[in-house]
Amino acid sequence: GSAATTLTAAGTLIQGNHTKNLGSLSAGQYVLVGNPYASPLMQNSIGRSANLASSFWMWDARALGNNNIGRYVSYSTVTSSYSITDPSSGYQNNGIPIQSGQAFFVQAASAGAASLTFQETHKTSTTTSLMFGNSDPSKPFESMRVSLFNDMNGYDVCSDGAMTCFRYDCNP
């Protein structure tokens, strides 16, 4: 049989307006930023400091990029549109917001202190899992791994890492 599962979260729930200071960035530098809210967020309404580029970049596991394993999709805040919108993409139309728990890259167009401003009114109830997962049934399980290596006495030693798994037949 199956038993009921209760999920709990720890920490402070971010509500209201929220400014994320990204520090002092070099021109061309990318920073990975997570959606701070437990709700989807309309990306065209995120405030950004003047030195940040007008696009955000998000991973789309369903878009058929190199080796058919997904690719980054850009979102222009100027045109309010994604770089691709097609049936194979998780971003099938320009109205798909940044989901709760999803991250995106921003890029510094010029050097200096950078920040993003999120507002409570930018939250939306439009949810989707299309940009997550794997779109290729011939590869039922794929993963993406990031490892942190440190030099210890001339040897590269893995000191930390993270892995995300994608299944064709699942939603997050």
Side-chain angles (χ1 to χ4, degrees):
S2 62
T5 300
T6 303
L7 301 176
T8 58
T12 303
L13 182 65
I14 296 176
Q15 295 177 313
N17 297 344
H18 177 72
T19 298
K20 177 68 177 170
N21 292 311
L22 306 176
S24 182
L25 304 180
S26 302
Q29 183 177 352
Y30 287 90
V31 177
L32 184 64
V33 180
N35 176 352
Y37 296 124
S39 299
L41 177 67
M42 295 308 298
Q43 61 277 36
N44 60 342
S45 59
I46 298 172
R48 62 187 195 289
S49 55
N51 66 322
L52 290 177
S54 60
S55 292
F56 301 133
W57 290 266
M58 288 149 285
W59 180 253
D60 184 353
R62 293 183 182 258
L64 300 178
N66 293 340
N67 302 314
N68 294 329
I69 59 169
R71 69 181 226 176
Y72 282 96
V73 174
S74 65
Y75 180 86
S76 168
T77 60
V78 174
T79 62
S80 297
S81 62
Y82 287 104
S83 57
I84 62 168
T85 53
D86 63 55
S88 71
S89 171
Y91 301 93
Q92 296 177 358
N93 66 65
N94 292 320
I96 295 182
I98 298 170
Q99 298 299 301
S100 174
Q102 185 179 2
F104 56 96
F105 280 100
V106 295
Q107 183 184 30
S110 60
S115 65
L116 294 172
T117 304
F118 304 92
Q119 294 184 12
E120 185 78 18
T121 57
H122 298 159
K123 291 180 182 178
T124 179
S125 60
T126 304
T127 61
T128 182
S129 61
L130 287 175
M131 74 289 303
F132 301 113
N134 166 12
S135 64
D136 188 351
S138 69
K139 299 176 184 174
F141 176 82
E142 296 181 288
S143 64
M144 181 170 61
R145 181 182 306 225
V146 177
S147 299
L148 175 66
F149 287 86
N150 287 319
D151 182 320
M152 298 191 81
N153 299 321
Y155 294 97
D156 287 334
V157 177
C158 184
S159 59
D160 202 356
M163 184 167 127
T164 300
C165 300
F166 304 96
R167 283 184 50 104
Y168 173 74
D169 58 348
C170 294
N171 287 324

